[in-house]
Amino acid sequence: MSISPAEAAHRAASDLELIAWVDDADEPLGALPRAELRNAGLIGRGTFILLFNSAGELCINRRSLSKAVYPGYWDVAAGGMVGADESYPQSAARELEEELGVSGVELSFHEKFFFDQPGNRLWCAVFSAVWDGPLKLQPEEVIEARFASLAQVEQERQQMPYCPDSLAALQRYQAARVR
């Protein structure tokens, strides 16, 4: 499957975005273009927003094929890289609105953790929100989205590709709720 010209243009612009560059303790070091940060194996900041409906179902979305990391994978969170001049909460609100068209909701912060895989090293801030309204997908980022039970997500992730970073965020969120 090929990507559209709009997706290709979005990817090129995305690769040039200045992203917060941090050390392994999440201390700021400056800003670098997204592609340079990723290709050099440096650490950035990312946000993960677990969007639930009032029935407790989680919004899962399928990433576009033009994404540099995990193209076409299912994602249990909205989110993305924190911009050079953004805080974690600012990034979370922006990403939720850009990807799923959701704004004006209360974002609850849960925790930060370090995720480290080749080509994807980041400090992750985990947020959650509740939304029962319509979703408005950004086609250059998200192919499809739907709400699913956590049991359904657990079953699907055994059979379909799911983003390991957002799964880590979800697992940490669930573990904290059990304590």
Side-chain angles (χ1 to χ4, degrees):
M1 189 179 272
S2 64
I3 63 173
S4 72
E7 283 180 298
H10 182 76
R11 165 71 188 278
S14 176
D15 279 348
L16 297 175
E17 288 177 347
L18 289 179
I19 301 300
W21 170 33
V22 298
D23 65 14
D24 58 4
D26 196 24
E27 294 297 321
L29 297 173
L32 289 171
R34 181 189 309 256
E36 184 178 332
L37 189 79
R38 183 178 59 247
N39 294 338
L42 301 173
I43 302 168
R45 286 180 171 166
T47 55
F48 295 87
I49 307 93
L50 303 168
L51 184 65
F52 295 92
N53 62 22
S54 58
E57 296 172 316
L58 179 63
C59 181
I60 59 174
N61 67 86
R62 188 158 168 251
R63 296 165 61 87
S64 77
L65 299 175
S66 64
K67 300 294 278 182
V69 178
Y70 313 127
Y73 279 43
W74 283 93
D75 208 332
V76 297
M81 301 300 288
V82 176
D85 297 324
E86 283 183 310
S87 66
Y88 282 112
Q90 289 169 329
S91 174
R94 176 184 54 78
E95 290 285 354
L96 186 59
E97 184 171 8
E98 282 179 6
E99 291 183 4
L100 301 178
V102 175
S103 63
V105 296
E106 180 182 342
L107 290 171
S108 298
F109 172 75
H110 298 285
E111 71 169 311
K112 288 192 316 181
F113 70 96
F114 183 60
F115 185 83
D116 191 1
Q117 281 192 344
N120 190 20
R121 303 181 72 216
L122 57 143
W123 271 97
C124 309
V126 183
F127 296 84
S128 67
V130 176
W131 176 259
D132 287 314
L135 300 175
K136 183 180 178 198
L137 309 182
Q138 180 184 30
E140 295 83 16
E141 299 260 347
V142 179
I143 297 171
E144 59 183 298
R146 60 185 163 84
F147 284 91
S149 71
L150 292 175
Q152 186 177 359
V153 170
E154 182 58 33
Q155 182 181 27
E156 284 183 4
R157 72 184 215 83
Q158 306 302 323
Q159 303 158 351
M160 299 169 8
Y162 268 78
C163 297
D165 52 4
S166 67
L167 283 174
L170 176 61
Q171 289 165 346
R172 295 177 71 93
Y173 168 84
Q174 289 177 296
R177 293 180 53 89
V178 172
R179 286 184 230 149

